[in-house]
């Protein structure tokens, strides 16, 4: 067969396969529109002068889902218009999107995913660094992949990798720097019986910025147990070894890491509590160590009305001894009410209290209230 004909036949075969797969998939699109308003007593969490703010939001999003016997694709784009009544300079149009693709076989699963986030540090930095008053643009791009395969009658091996790139808009004398974060992990899961599972994992991560390079190696063993159909728990013990190289030399920190979690369910109540020590990147382009505990509770009053409570408290410290300006304690407590008024209409109202104390500043706190109405299409 001549070469052009072979190429045409190959393209035709690929098109036929794609069309066949497309017809075999079940497609669903669920758009949503949310209109909301908010009040915050100290939106910058300024320790000296409370900066009150009133805001309104308009959010448009959708979830595109394609599913079949061995494939599932999910794409979730979202845009948000955020306007402030007394600070027009803070007005923004934010954009978010994420996707994940899952390919299933009889004994293995292959996953791909990624995301894009463009927002202001005013709305993104409370958990990350606590530096809210800078109001720079933050853009994050991420990609991840994983492979999960059954090994033997009770075992499972998972290999995963991810990379994220975070960039901050220009800010005069800003301590926030652009960085790249990469993680590679290997895990082995062993089911000892129908209720208990052990997970052994090894992780290697790197954080690279213009001013420092940090590497971390971690190991962990976790035990997961289903005590009853309504009570589940887990506990894990591991270690980490972080090394940071910068203009001042090389620093090293190593230690133990512990995590735990418990979930309990009742007819109308559910409760989740847990805690963990983890190493994660932050806005100065290096790893920080975070020790956190959290509690979440939900109460259902019927098929349409529910109430939630969440509490989180954490202590953050740098893994190097140079310019440790990001050491801080913070907490976040919130209550919320969700009312499904009709099949496609949902009303949400919430109240949240935030507190933090940076290593170089006095304690600061603020209370925020939000209310929003969401319409979801078919």
């Amino acid at each position: 067969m001549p070469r052009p004909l072979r190429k045409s036949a190959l393209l035709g075969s690929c098109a036929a396969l794609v069309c066949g797969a497309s017809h075999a998939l079940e497609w669903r699109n669920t758009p949503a529109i949310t209109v909301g308003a908010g009040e915050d007593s100290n939106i910058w969490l300024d320790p000296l002068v409370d900066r009150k703010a009133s805001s309104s939001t308009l959010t448009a999003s959708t979830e595109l889902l394609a599913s079949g016997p061995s494939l599932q694709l999910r794409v979730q784009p979202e845009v948000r218009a955020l306007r402030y009544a007394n600070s027009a300079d803070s007005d923004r149009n934010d954009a978010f999107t994420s996707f994940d693709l899952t390919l299933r076989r009889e004994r293995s699963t292959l996953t791909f995913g990624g995301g894009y986030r463009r927002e202001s540090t005013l709305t993104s930095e409370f958990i990350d660094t606590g530096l809210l008053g800078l109001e720079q643009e933050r853009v994050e791009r991420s990609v991840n992949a994983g492979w999960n395969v059954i090994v033997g009658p009770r075992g499972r091996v998972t290999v995963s990798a991810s990379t994220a790139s975070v960039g901050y808009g220009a800010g005069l004398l800003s301590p926030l720097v652009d960085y790249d974060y990469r993680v590679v992990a290997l895990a082995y899961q062993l089911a000892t019986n129908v209720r208990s599972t052990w997970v052994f994992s090894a992780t290697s991560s790197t954080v690279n910025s213009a001013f420092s390079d940090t590497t971390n190696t971690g190991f962990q063993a976790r035990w997961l147990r289903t005590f009853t159909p309504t009570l589940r728990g887990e506990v894990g013990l591991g270690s980490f070894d972080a090394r940071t190289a910068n203009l001042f030399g090389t620093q090293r920190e190593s230690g133990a890491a512990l995590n735990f979690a418990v979930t309990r369910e009742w007819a109308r109540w559910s409760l989740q509590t847990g805690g963990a020590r983890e190493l994660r990147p932050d806005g100065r382009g290096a790893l920080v160590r975070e020790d956190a505990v959290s509690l979440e509770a939900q109460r259902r009053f019927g098929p349409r009305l529910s109430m939630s409570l969440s509490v989180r408290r954490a202590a953050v410290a740098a893994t190097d001894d140079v310019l440790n300006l990001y050491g801080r304690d913070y907490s976040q407590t919130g209550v919320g009410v969700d009312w499904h008024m009709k099949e496609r209409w949902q009303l949400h109202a919430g109240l949240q209290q935030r507190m933090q104390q940076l290593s170089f500043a006095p304690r600061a706190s603020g209370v925020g209230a939000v209310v929003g109405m969401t319409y979801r299409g078919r």
Side-chain angles (χ1 to χ4, degrees), residues 236-303:
L237 181 63
S239 64
F240 68 91
D241 183 17
R243 301 168 186 256
T244 302
N246 50 37
L247 297 176
F248 301 94
T250 301
Q251 293 82 41
R252 176 184 179 185
E253 180 174 353
S254 59
L258 173 70
N259 77 281
F260 70 92
V262 177
T263 300
R264 180 70 164 91
E265 297 173 352
W266 293 269
R268 292 181 177 271
W269 282 89
S270 63
L271 177 68
Q272 304 89 35
T273 184
R277 164 174 287 184
E278 64 176 359
L279 269 65
R280 60 169 178 82
D282 74 349
R284 70 189 181 110
L287 285 175
V288 294
R289 183 186 72 249
E290 179 172 282
D291 298 313
V293 293
S294 63
L295 181 146
E296 296 182 7
Q298 296 84 33
R299 173 68 161 91
R300 294 175 294 279
F301 296 94

Side-chain angles (χ1 to χ4, degrees), residues 125 128-129 138-141 163-168 176-182 206-212 280-287:
E125 289 298 300
D128 195 24
T129 62
R138 182 184 190 273
V139 178
E140 178 179 349
R141 300 174 176 87
T163 179
S165 178
V166 177
Y168 294 94
L176 302 175
V177 299
D178 301 350
Y179 66 87
D180 296 322
Y181 181 50
R182 299 179 179 88
T206 61
V207 182
N208 305 112
S209 71
F211 304 102
S212 66
R280 60 169 178 82
D282 74 349
R284 70 189 181 110
L287 285 175

